[in-house]
Amino acid sequence: TIPANLAVAVNERLEYSVVESPAGHGKLLVAKELVGNLAAKLGLEEGQELTVLDTFTGAEVAAGTTYQHPLFERKSPVVIGGEYITTESGTGLVHTAPGHGQEDYQTGLKYGLPLLSPVDDGGRFTEEAGAQFEGKNVLGDGNTAVIEALQECGALLKQDPYNHKYPYDWRTKKPTIFRATDQWFASVDNFREEAMA
């Protein structure tokens, strides 16, 4: 869902540290509790460590902060998410695509983010995802293409397998793809009795 990313969410109750890596990763933002985990993930050599430059609350991080999307020419906000943002794994920052997933959708509503769901009925990226991804299956070659694009632009520090808690379709045994789509509803109040007769 990186092509549909429109925000990064933080937990206002967590503290976040700006750290600098001696291995050329530059300055990074990570939940304070996860600084050691990040150092291990980056594979720093013995004796090297991340230097904590400053620490902020999640609310301070989200106050007017924006970031540049790594693949597209758009700036997006850092926003306050919910209790789904924890220090159990990752960085304590959660990529947010309001067009894909209930928590992301709710966060998007709260902050007035647009809906972007560049996936068609067949599970393939649409033109909105960018020409380099269009037509690719989001669970297959599309995911691989996004990872390669992040590597090429230097935005991917580490790739780790992660098992999302996706619901699976009971017939196909494949993950369900969440997409926000336009819907309409009609009131039948004015002709319900007549139609039921």
Side-chain angles (χ1 to χ4, degrees):
T1 55
I2 291 293
N5 173 274
L6 295 175
V8 167
V10 296
N11 185 325
E12 66 183 331
R13 295 189 180 136
L14 296 178
E15 287 188 304
Y16 291 85
S17 293
V18 176
V19 298
E20 190 163 27
S21 168
H25 299 109
K27 294 177 184 171
L28 306 168
L29 182 65
V30 62
K32 181 180 174 182
E33 290 180 42
L34 296 170
V35 170
N37 290 4
L38 179 60
K41 290 272 187 192
L42 293 175
L44 298 181
E45 293 180 19
E46 191 172 327
Q48 289 184 325
E49 60 183 39
L50 296 173
T51 304
V52 175
L53 302 176
D54 212 338
T55 300
F56 305 92
T57 66
E60 290 172 320
V61 170
T65 305
T66 61
Y67 66 96
Q68 175 65 47
H69 192 287
L71 301 178
F72 304 108
E73 291 298 318
R74 66 176 175 245
K75 285 195 182 281
S76 297
V78 176
V79 299
I80 295 172
E83 295 304 312
Y84 61 92
I85 303 168
T86 68
T87 56
E88 291 176 17
S89 65
T91 60
L93 294 102
V94 175
H95 128 75
T96 303
H100 299 281
Q102 183 66 25
E103 291 163 336
D104 291 19
Y105 178 76
Q106 293 299 328
T107 300
L109 283 179
K110 180 178 176 182
Y111 289 96
L113 300 175
L115 282 180
L116 176 59
S117 184
V119 178
D120 67 16
D121 291 346
R124 294 175 301 274
F125 281 122
T126 65
E127 181 181 353
E128 288 179 301
Q132 73 270 37
F133 307 125
E134 186 177 2
K136 295 184 184 319
N137 184 286
V138 298
L139 298 176
D141 59 342
N143 191 47
T144 302
V146 170
I147 290 168
E148 289 171 355
L150 290 169
Q151 288 170 329
E152 288 171 15
C153 72
L156 187 65
L157 296 176
K158 175 81 173 163
Q159 179 184 344
D160 266 340
Y162 180 81
N163 290 325
H164 278 281
K165 297 174 185 165
Y166 290 122
Y168 280 75
D169 177 68
W170 66 274
R171 290 172 295 167
T172 65
K173 309 297 185 242
K174 293 183 180 178
T176 302
I177 299 171
F178 287 93
R179 310 184 293 139
T181 58
D182 289 328
Q183 299 179 25
W184 60 271
F185 299 90
S187 173
V188 296
D189 289 345
N190 292 332
F191 62 89
R192 179 184 176 140
E193 294 302 322
E194 188 178 321
M196 298 293 285

